[in-house]
Amino acid sequence: MDTSSSDVRVSDHASDVDPKAPARPVLEGPDIARMLTRIAHEIVERAKGADDVVLLGIPTRGVFLARRLAAKLEEITSRAIPVGSLDITMYRDDLRLGPARALARTEIPGDGIEGRVVLLVDDVLFSGRTIRAALDALNDIGRPRAVQLAVLVDRGHRELPIRADYVGKNLPTSLRETVKVQLTEEDGRDAVLLGTRPADDAAKTERPTRTGER
């Protein structure tokens, strides 16, 4: 999986981060809309028309992004693009480390994924463990011809050899920083917020598993 997009430079070291600074928006609604439009055109170009592409969003915000991408692809190709969701809760490798998680919904389009190009969609790419879980979940459903990945934000700090094929924005961060995607469908607004984790939280764990940091 290859990555191509411009970078937004954020502090590279924890010492550069102000622990008292409130979360601030680094991307707003118009930025997100432009990114999704660009990604949709890249999908059509790479997939030569997106005839056999199926979009599967990873709950929660990945599902909303997948639906938006499907709508943009339909505008470009004049064809309805199959879109669904893929719950990865039971495939996570950190279930025993935290409280019980509520199961989300897995919805596979009627024609299935066999022999299709499955495009996984998520909001933030971080350690890569969420995507590893998604690949395991997908393996139990069917055998696609290929699997690709689209994310709105790639914040770096990968723990697994996973890279996105389509990236809205590369956002280099320190481990002390937090990245949260807000979408109108869930949060009432579109934005990407950059914040700072409290020092005591950072000392407890280097790899948070909160929404938008996976």
Side-chain angles (χ1 to χ4, degrees), residues 14-54:
S15 59
D16 298 330
V17 179
D18 180 359
K20 297 181 181 180
R24 61 183 178 86
V26 292
L27 296 171
E28 301 280 5
D31 304 310
I32 292 174
R34 284 193 296 270
M35 291 174 190
L36 293 177
T37 297
R38 172 174 54 78
I39 289 174
H41 282 281
E42 290 175 355
I43 292 170
V44 171
E45 181 178 359
R46 184 176 300 189
K48 295 180 174 57
D51 290 344
D52 60 350
V53 170
V54 176

Side-chain angles (χ1 to χ4, degrees), residues 65-142:
L65 291 172
R67 291 171 183 168
R68 293 191 194 185
L69 272 176
K72 289 184 178 294
L73 287 170
E74 184 171 355
E75 291 178 5
I76 297 170
T77 65
S78 299
R79 292 190 307 276
I81 304 297
V83 59
S85 60
L86 181 66
D87 178 42
I88 54 94
T89 302
M90 300 308 298
Y91 296 85
R92 297 188 65 99
D93 60 6
D94 60 356
L95 281 177
R96 69 184 185 280
L97 302 179
R101 297 171 181 267
L103 296 177
R105 298 183 65 180
T106 289
E107 297 181 348
I108 304 301
D111 291 338
I113 63 172
E114 295 290 332
R116 310 291 292 273
V117 175
V118 171
L119 181 60
L120 299 174
V121 183
D122 204 6
D123 53 355
V124 178
L125 180 58
F126 186 18
S127 69
R129 294 187 177 277
T130 291
I131 305 305
R132 180 206 59 79
L135 292 173
D136 288 344
L138 197 61
N139 187 59
D140 282 349
I141 295 172

